[in-house]
Amino acid sequence: MVDLPAYVTLAPGEQVIALIQPDLEVQILRSLLAAVIGLITAIAGLMVLDLALGRPLSGMRSGLWVTFGLIFGPIFAERLLAHRAAYVLTNHGLIMDAETAVSLRMIRRVEVWPTSLSIRTEARRFSLRYLANPPAVAGLIVAAMSAARRV
């Protein structure tokens, strides 16, 4: 038996197909990539500012590094330590968190991205983020959708 999150309650006859855990390494990689892109943008912006003012190129000095660390360090740490709820795929639907569940019959489209999935219904769009193998998860969801529609 799979240990389900506390917010999951199954209806009579509902069976768990998969417990989909967000991958911490994927989340760390995306956060680090965002940090590197942000630092490259900041350095390029400072270089453009130096050129526009006719000063020699200075890049980022130690004080600016400390400032960026104090501003973005806690944000980065909070993102890494944030609770990542597991997604639960059942034969009736996809439970994303305590407030969000989607019936398999309501799903119109599943889009695969490098580290996430986008689930579309007629009314809304949902994202399953930080997945190590999104194509496999999409395959599970599509197979469950076709099985639900046959019943």
Side-chain angles (χ1 to χ4, degrees), residues 133-150:
N133 192 352
V137 175
L140 284 172
I141 293 171
V142 169
M145 287 170 47
S146 64
R149 290 184 176 142
R150 279 189 300 233

Side-chain angles (χ1 to χ4, degrees), residues 65-122:
W65 281 106
V66 170
T67 302
F68 275 123
L70 291 174
I71 291 173
F72 295 110
I75 295 170
F76 184 69
E78 187 273 330
R79 284 189 56 150
L80 288 179
L81 299 174
H83 175 69
R84 291 168 303 282
Y87 309 111
V88 180
L89 178 64
T90 69
N91 59 338
H92 292 172
L94 181 63
I95 303 168
M96 291 180 232
D97 56 35
E99 294 87 29
T100 311
V102 180
S103 169
L104 292 175
R105 295 176 190 268
M106 300 298 293
I107 296 174
R108 297 291 176 242
R109 186 176 195 167
V110 178
E111 297 173 335
V112 178
W113 296 96
T115 60
S116 64
L117 287 179
S118 178
I119 308 284
R120 292 181 189 245
T121 65
E122 288 194 19

Side-chain angles (χ1 to χ4, degrees), residues 35-51 57-61 64-65 68:
V36 167
I37 290 171
L39 285 175
I40 289 172
T41 303
I43 291 170
L46 288 173
M47 291 173 69
V48 168
L49 181 64
D50 285 341
L51 288 173
L57 297 178
S58 63
M60 290 183 63
R61 296 186 177 100
L64 200 50
W65 281 106
F68 275 123

